[in-house]
Amino acid sequence: MAAITAALIKQVREDTGAGMMDVKKALTEAEGDVARAKEIIRAKGIQAAGKREGRTAQEGTIASRVVDTANGQAGYAVELNSETDFVAKTPKFVAFTDGVLDDAIKAGASTAEEVLAAPSADGTVKETVEEAAALFGEHVKVGQVAKVEGPKVEIYAHKKSAEMPPSIVAIVATDEKGAAVAHEAALQISAMGAKWLKREDVPADVVASERRVATEKSQAEGKPEKIIPKIVEGRMNAFYKENVLLEQEYVKDTSKSVGDLFKQAGGELLAFARIEVGKGEEK
């Protein structure tokens, strides 16, 4: 059993928004296992509804672009963080971010580590970004990075306000016919934040955890034992409908799913990515 320290309690409190005593009880029941403690808190319905959003959020912008490749197209997106939105919205910062994107594309980078190691005008991107602190008077860093490839790629860059640069970018890869509704899918991803493309993509440990939570929550609600399996399946389907892109209700017509949208177009959605400023370090 792991020691239930003040630091451990603080970590779970920050991650769940639950009260200190509830967290301590959950950690005790879970014998110090943080992941299990979080499941217990969720199952008991004591996770704070007002969990702080963007706990580790930072300011910044996202530069993105679609380029042609030998096999079709590739969509790139690079987040660059600053300390304040005042710096993030300046033309100089936006141009600097575009320059980092240029270097990422030239290197074919698909991760933050690959972007930082990419050649730049003054050495590597890592060195260029570190030196940018003097230029902007703030700490600057590369955040999230995405690269999506396919026959056709669509990008939607969302601005939360007219005076700010893009803060959410959705990238969608489709086949040729799917390209007809790719923009609609990108809008959906930007707004609804799906985590996985299809049900089979959800990791087994996530499925197991969600099933445990659904079961324990049903038991805590006093549901009859014989109908709990059916209730659990209903809750699992609701989980998939919320988090799996092809199973989400299409926001412009809730009578159909995103999967239905592509079926009607006769095309296929192959892959996607979503980046939102300041969300990369959230747990």
Side-chain angles (χ1 to χ4, degrees):
M1 175 176 176
I4 301 173
T5 63
L8 203 61
I9 293 172
K10 180 183 178 184
Q11 176 189 337
V12 178
R13 285 192 69 190
E14 288 179 346
D15 290 348
T16 65
M20 183 173 69
M21 291 308 297
D22 288 326
V23 168
K24 192 171 182 180
K25 287 177 183 177
L27 281 167
T28 300
E29 184 177 337
E31 297 184 338
D33 184 322
V34 171
R36 177 60 184 145
K38 291 178 184 178
E39 289 181 356
I40 292 168
I41 288 169
R42 290 182 57 208
K44 291 183 177 178
I46 54 179
Q47 181 162 340
K51 179 186 174 185
R52 289 179 292 169
E53 292 292 332
R55 178 172 53 85
T56 60
Q58 297 173 330
E59 302 299 334
T61 186
I62 305 166
S64 59
R65 194 178 311 151
V66 175
V67 298
D68 292 329
T69 68
N71 299 313
Q73 294 183 316
Y76 290 85
V78 174
E79 174 194 18
L80 203 69
N81 294 120
S82 60
E83 293 179 31
T84 65
D85 60 2
F86 176 79
V87 165
K89 66 183 180 182
T90 61
K92 188 180 291 186
F93 188 84
V94 172
F96 183 79
T97 306
D98 285 337
V100 173
L101 177 66
D102 287 339
D103 294 332
I105 292 173
K106 289 174 186 174
S110 59
T111 66
E113 290 75 18
E114 291 176 356
V115 170
L116 291 169
S120 187
D122 300 313
T124 64
V125 169
K126 182 177 186 293
E127 292 166 339
T128 301
V129 170
E130 288 173 349
E131 291 168 3
L135 178 65
F136 298 109
E138 292 188 3
H139 175 59
V140 177
K141 71 170 188 175
V142 172
Q144 302 163 89
V145 172
K147 177 184 178 183
V148 175
E149 298 178 278
K152 292 291 183 180
V153 174
E154 177 86 13
I155 287 180
Y156 170 66
H158 175 73
K159 295 182 179 182
K160 291 184 178 179
S161 59
E163 70 274 9
M164 292 297 293
S167 58
I168 299 175
V169 165
I171 312 176
V172 175
T174 68
D175 60 8
E176 294 288 341
K177 290 185 177 180
V181 291
H183 180 68
E184 297 302 315
L187 290 174
Q188 174 89 19
I189 293 161
S190 173
M192 303 306 293
K195 295 179 180 178
W196 299 281
L197 176 60
K198 53 187 183 297
R199 187 175 293 206
E200 295 74 23
D201 295 335
V202 184
D205 61 329
V206 173
V207 173
S209 176
E210 288 298 323
R211 192 172 291 279
R212 278 195 299 270
V213 169
T215 300
E216 292 173 9
K217 189 172 185 179
S218 300
Q219 292 169 338
E221 290 170 349
K223 304 294 185 184
E225 198 66 32
K226 64 180 181 180
I227 66 169
I228 284 180
K230 186 175 181 179
I231 294 173
V232 168
E233 288 310 310
R235 284 178 164 157
M236 289 302 298
N237 285 331
F239 166 78
Y240 291 129
K241 192 172 181 179
E242 178 181 354
N243 294 286
V244 173
L245 180 57
L246 291 176
E247 298 192 27
Q248 282 185 344
E249 290 182 347
Y250 175 40
V251 289
K252 291 186 177 181
D253 181 357
T254 56
S255 69
K256 66 178 71 171
S257 68
V258 175
D260 293 333
L261 185 69
F262 278 85
K263 285 179 183 177
Q264 290 173 2
E268 188 177 358
L269 177 54
L270 303 173
F272 78 95
R274 181 183 187 274
I275 290 179
E276 182 172 356
V277 167
K279 301 296 184 179
E281 295 181 358
E282 290 190 348
K283 295 181 180 179

